[in-house]
Amino acid sequence: MPDRGGGPPTGPRIRVGRPSRRVRTLLMTLGVLAVLAMAFTMFAGFWTDWLWYRSVHYSSVFKTTLWTKIGLFFVFGLLMALAVGFNIWLAHRLRPPLSAMSMEQQNLDRYRMGIAPYKRWLLLGITALVGLIAGASASGQWRTWLMWVNGVPFGQKDPQFKLDVSFYAFDLPWYRFLLGFGFAAVIISVIAAAITHYLYGGLRVTSPGARATAAATGHLSVLIGVFVALKAVAYWLDRYGLAVKSSDFKATDSWTGLRYVDANAYLPAKTILFCIAVICALLFFATIWRRTWQLPVTGFGLMVLSAILIGGLYPALVQKFQVQPNEQAKEAPYVEKNLKATRDAYGIAGTQVAEYPGVSQTKDQTKLRDDVDAAASIRIMDPNVISPTFQQLQQMRNYYAFPNNLDVDRYSKDGKDQDTVIGLRELNLAGIPKKNWINNHFRYTHGYGVVAAKGTEVDSEGRPVFTESDLPSKGDLGTYEQRVYYGEKTTTYSIVGGPQKEIDYSDDNGEKTFSYKGDGGVDLSNPINRAAYAAAFSEPQILYSGAIGEGSRVLYNRTPKERVEAVAPWLTIDGDAYPAVVDGRIQWIVDAYTTTNGYPYASRTTLGDTTADSLTAANNQRAVVAQQNQVNYIRNSVKATVDAYSGDVKLYQWDTEDPVLKTWMKAFPNTVQDKSEISDTLMAHLRYPQDLFKVQRELLTRYHVKDANTFLSGSEVWQVPDDPTNKSGDAVPPYYLSMKMPDQKQQAFSLTTTFTPNGRDNLSAFMAVDAEAGTEGYGKIRILKLPTSTTVNGPKQVQSQLNSEQDIAETIRLLRGGDSEVEYGNLLTVPLDGGLLYVEPVYVRGGDLKYPLLRKVLVSYGGNTAFENTLDEALAKVFGEAEEGSTQPPPDEGEDTTEPPPTSTNPTVREALSDAQKAFDAGQKALEQKDLAAYAEAQKDLEEALQRAEDAQARTDESGGKNGDDKNGDKGEDGKASPSPDPTGDSGSGQGSG
């Protein structure tokens, strides 16, 4: 074809035809399949959520939440779309006759002609877009809506406006959301209407004549008038907002509520500004008839000027010339309101503060030794240190593991409560022999058994005295379902109950298999369910694997906190879930809180910061799961349990008076069971939660005073000391301990902490709360306040004594000899006869020993410090008792004894054990004389003697006896025997410190 452009030839053209029908059909099919795949992926997430909620019997939570979100999405999305769409349509309807009289209008005419064919679609697209954005934003306010529509009264009124607290907690947040939505709708409408008016000539920038037509003026004036009217409503709500407003104040950096300047300057200013805004809005509305901007613009300028002068300058002048010259007198009445509200909101109003001398009232302190046992059951097993010891002695298999921080509970034996350190042998996928999809998700599916030890005793080698141990576990806890399918370390999904058998546990006879018989999890027999989970987990093998069949169930969302948070998304979850054996089942107990940040006058706190301590810094699993991080009201309103076998979640109403919980129970009926449903066996294991205690102790550093002048002066401000046992710089965690406060007749399971003066290390107060649920005193907070004229060593100073006293420092240096490590346990504080008794266990990891053993105990009282092998010896030294005769407990108490009578029938074993005891005694003597060479030699002799005893006993077992111990569990990583329970069952042998 010849070139018609006069240029050089372009060569032959290739004619590109339309794709064939087959190609078009293929492309269309692929497009449809892609859309269907995307739709199914979205459906899979929804469907699996529904199946999960149905499996835990909380489908009502899913439905209520879902329908609330959908309702808010459509209502507010539609409102926004209608508001914006109507104003665009109205601006177009009010357009002037088109006349291209200027260059500006000629340029705009091209745009008008370009969009003319698509005007309807463009309008629908814009309104749909703003509607989707607004609806999505509104659906996130489902908690605010449910609290507003279901709110119940608190029965308490704020001191300023005399309104029920529920107005601030439930109503005001919803009103503020509506106001914010109104502002957004008006602003978007003004912008959309202005653009439309400009595009169609209603507004002119460079054209001659009037800048706006009368129709455009009236339309925009009404919209601006609505904006100003909303601003008037905002001023009126701001008056009530002053009661929950946070501000910096020298008495506290989290002050909430009105101060003098708020009540006497800001409050009247807001009222005046409200009136001015109403008048200004009316002036804008009047332009519909007057067709002029003069009056409304004047009124708007007056409102802005008033906001600067009345809302900003006037309060500043009041603060400068009325408050600052006599601040204490002016602010005192408002501080009193803040003190009362804060103490009520955090449940610390009933705190009992008593003066405590801080020094012993008994001159002859030898008489106090017998009082120690009555004062406290001193726990020398630190659950935050001895997890590696549990791991080494009771792990049994690499695919089991214990949490980094064990828990403290109470168990009764022979009618006597015993503080117990407890942990579960949970599944550890990192330790399975061979990792693949089948092993990870089908064969290794659960942990097995509880391991528990006495909190107040150790055996002769410094190891825990187990009350529940071995695999399967046996001991004082009796018979119970030992399989652990749900736990803190179980973070992946498992498929159970189908053709593929699970590894249950292993013993001397080999592996035992098991098939899950519980009703937990979601059934995978349905092919639609399998396809949905294949998409949700991004694992196509779920769809076609032969390991899945009739009876297969998928277990996921398996950590206790994760499950409780999912079924009750309106609760804040305590950071420490703990296990207990209850009625033949292992139950995880989870404390949960209701919170709000709308309690008038109550100062706010940040949960993430307030609940942080040296344990949460090292273990993120201990961090609180907060729905609201900033709160000024908190109640431990719900106790939850999660069955470790079935995953069944139960919520129990704990605080029967909490209006926030009552509100949520109206919103989600039949999800929380009545408090009376808590069984006696479960009640025996419920306790006061740590995170609530940490929030309360942080508030009590300032709010332990009731006098406004003292609060303002800051002279009584305390602080929570840093953990003295490590260099983290984080707060010391609270400790569970059975102890007796001065006004108590007997010991109570308690949660305790200490306070020091702000910026100093000496002790200023000791705080304890009765932590045993079901008792009359549960939740009662007691503070022992030390006189400022007496200096009593605080935790950091006591720890410094440990490191600075020459004899103690030398002993620690010896303990660290070779490659040994010293670890300090919890520094416990116990009130005793007017003074404070400090007790700290000291652990050593020595040589090939990869787990800590208790080697020394620090005791300090009244300036006297002892650092001995046992608690008894240390107490005897501090209180001046004779160290011979009375300091050694009988062998069944688990302390070091003189050479015990061997019980083995094998003479070689008896001889080896006798040699081991002699080596142990020689090592102790060398340690006292600070003879490192002799100490090392004695340690070597001790290991050789223990090895001979173990080998001899093993030969005896092979010939006729049964060795019940797992030999691998008591050896170091290099295969050598480590100081372990002697294979004969004797407790007389022991290893020296190191």
Side-chain angles (χ1 to χ4, degrees), residues 876-887:
K877 184 173 182 180
V878 164
F879 293 109
E881 289 185 8
E883 296 187 18
E884 297 181 1
S886 63
T887 60

PDB file of all heavy atoms in Angstrom, residues 876-887:
ATOM      1  N   ALA A 876      19.341 -19.820 110.926  1.00  0.00           N
ATOM      2  CA  ALA A 876      20.011 -20.052 112.202  1.00  0.00           C
ATOM      3  C   ALA A 876      21.143 -19.051 112.425  1.00  0.00           C
ATOM      4  O   ALA A 876      21.319 -18.532 113.533  1.00  0.00           O
ATOM      5  CB  ALA A 876      20.555 -21.483 112.249  1.00  0.00           C
ATOM      6  N   LYS A 877      21.866 -18.751 111.370  1.00  0.00           N
ATOM      7  CA  LYS A 877      22.980 -17.800 111.504  1.00  0.00           C
ATOM      8  C   LYS A 877      22.480 -16.385 111.740  1.00  0.00           C
ATOM      9  O   LYS A 877      23.012 -15.649 112.574  1.00  0.00           O
ATOM     10  CB  LYS A 877      23.845 -17.854 110.249  1.00  0.00           C
ATOM     11  CG  LYS A 877      25.078 -16.971 110.332  1.00  0.00           C
ATOM     12  CD  LYS A 877      25.998 -17.192 109.144  1.00  0.00           C
ATOM     13  CE  LYS A 877      27.254 -16.327 109.264  1.00  0.00           C
ATOM     14  NZ  LYS A 877      28.163 -16.526 108.104  1.00  0.00           N
ATOM     15  N   VAL A 878      21.410 -15.985 111.019  1.00  0.00           N
ATOM     16  CA  VAL A 878      20.879 -14.628 111.163  1.00  0.00           C
ATOM     17  C   VAL A 878      20.294 -14.410 112.546  1.00  0.00           C
ATOM     18  O   VAL A 878      20.489 -13.353 113.173  1.00  0.00           O
ATOM     19  CB  VAL A 878      19.820 -14.357 110.083  1.00  0.00           C
ATOM     20  CG1 VAL A 878      18.988 -13.130 110.438  1.00  0.00           C
ATOM     21  CG2 VAL A 878      20.494 -14.124 108.735  1.00  0.00           C
ATOM     22  N   PHE A 879      19.586 -15.405 113.061  1.00  0.00           N
ATOM     23  CA  PHE A 879      18.904 -15.240 114.348  1.00  0.00           C
ATOM     24  C   PHE A 879      19.704 -15.773 115.525  1.00  0.00           C
ATOM     25  O   PHE A 879      19.196 -15.838 116.648  1.00  0.00           O
ATOM     26  CB  PHE A 879      17.527 -15.909 114.303  1.00  0.00           C
ATOM     27  CG  PHE A 879      16.572 -15.234 113.360  1.00  0.00           C
ATOM     28  CD1 PHE A 879      16.192 -15.844 112.172  1.00  0.00           C
ATOM     29  CD2 PHE A 879      16.087 -13.968 113.634  1.00  0.00           C
ATOM     30  CE1 PHE A 879      15.332 -15.216 111.300  1.00  0.00           C
ATOM     31  CE2 PHE A 879      15.222 -13.332 112.757  1.00  0.00           C
ATOM     32  CZ  PHE A 879      14.853 -13.957 111.592  1.00  0.00           C
ATOM     33  N   GLY A 880      20.951 -16.175 115.253  1.00  0.00           N
ATOM     34  CA  GLY A 880      21.855 -16.498 116.358  1.00  0.00           C
ATOM     35  C   GLY A 880      21.673 -17.863 116.965  1.00  0.00           C
ATOM     36  O   GLY A 880      22.142 -18.113 118.070  1.00  0.00           O
ATOM     37  N   GLU A 881      21.000 -18.775 116.310  1.00  0.00           N
ATOM     38  CA  GLU A 881      20.860 -20.120 116.862  1.00  0.00           C
ATOM     39  C   GLU A 881      22.143 -20.896 116.662  1.00  0.00           C
ATOM     40  O   GLU A 881      22.970 -20.600 115.803  1.00  0.00           O
ATOM     41  CB  GLU A 881      19.709 -20.857 116.172  1.00  0.00           C
ATOM     42  CG  GLU A 881      18.347 -20.334 116.543  1.00  0.00           C
ATOM     43  CD  GLU A 881      17.258 -21.175 115.918  1.00  0.00           C
ATOM     44  OE1 GLU A 881      17.585 -22.237 115.340  1.00  0.00           O
ATOM     45  OE2 GLU A 881      16.105 -20.766 116.016  1.00  0.00           O
ATOM     46  N   ALA A 882      22.297 -21.932 117.454  1.00  0.00           N
ATOM     47  CA  ALA A 882      23.438 -22.818 117.283  1.00  0.00           C
ATOM     48  C   ALA A 882      23.281 -23.542 115.961  1.00  0.00           C
ATOM     49  O   ALA A 882      22.201 -23.965 115.588  1.00  0.00           O
ATOM     50  CB  ALA A 882      23.514 -23.823 118.434  1.00  0.00           C
ATOM     51  N   GLU A 883      24.379 -23.693 115.296  1.00  0.00           N
ATOM     52  CA  GLU A 883      24.313 -24.286 113.985  1.00  0.00           C
ATOM     53  C   GLU A 883      24.341 -25.795 114.030  1.00  0.00           C
ATOM     54  O   GLU A 883      24.150 -26.452 113.028  1.00  0.00           O
ATOM     55  CB  GLU A 883      25.464 -23.780 113.112  1.00  0.00           C
ATOM     56  CG  GLU A 883      25.391 -22.282 112.844  1.00  0.00           C
ATOM     57  CD  GLU A 883      26.428 -21.842 111.852  1.00  0.00           C
ATOM     58  OE1 GLU A 883      26.948 -22.705 111.145  1.00  0.00           O
ATOM     59  OE2 GLU A 883      26.715 -20.643 111.786  1.00  0.00           O
ATOM     60  N   GLU A 884      24.607 -26.393 115.165  1.00  0.00           N
ATOM     61  CA  GLU A 884      24.672 -27.834 115.252  1.00  0.00           C
ATOM     62  C   GLU A 884      23.408 -28.350 115.921  1.00  0.00           C
ATOM     63  O   GLU A 884      22.882 -27.769 116.844  1.00  0.00           O
ATOM     64  CB  GLU A 884      25.904 -28.272 116.052  1.00  0.00           C
ATOM     65  CG  GLU A 884      27.226 -27.864 115.391  1.00  0.00           C
ATOM     66  CD  GLU A 884      28.416 -28.336 116.203  1.00  0.00           C
ATOM     67  OE1 GLU A 884      28.173 -28.979 117.240  1.00  0.00           O
ATOM     68  OE2 GLU A 884      29.544 -28.077 115.808  1.00  0.00           O
ATOM     69  N   GLY A 885      22.984 -29.495 115.448  1.00  0.00           N
ATOM     70  CA  GLY A 885      21.877 -30.159 116.107  1.00  0.00           C
ATOM     71  C   GLY A 885      20.529 -29.806 115.561  1.00  0.00           C
ATOM     72  O   GLY A 885      19.772 -30.684 115.208  1.00  0.00           O
ATOM     73  N   SER A 886      20.194 -28.542 115.478  1.00  0.00           N
ATOM     74  CA  SER A 886      18.824 -28.174 115.140  1.00  0.00           C
ATOM     75  C   SER A 886      18.663 -27.659 113.720  1.00  0.00           C
ATOM     76  O   SER A 886      17.560 -27.444 113.280  1.00  0.00           O
ATOM     77  CB  SER A 886      18.318 -27.090 116.096  1.00  0.00           C
ATOM     78  OG  SER A 886      19.100 -25.932 115.933  1.00  0.00           O
ATOM     79  N   THR A 887      19.776 -27.482 113.011  1.00  0.00           N
ATOM     80  CA  THR A 887      19.646 -26.834 111.704  1.00  0.00           C
ATOM     81  C   THR A 887      19.397 -27.820 110.582  1.00  0.00           C
ATOM     82  O   THR A 887      19.007 -27.419 109.507  1.00  0.00           O
ATOM     83  CB  THR A 887      20.929 -26.051 111.378  1.00  0.00           C
ATOM     84  OG1 THR A 887      22.029 -26.951 111.356  1.00  0.00           O
ATOM     85  CG2 THR A 887      21.148 -24.968 112.394  1.00  0.00           C
TER      86      THR A 887
END
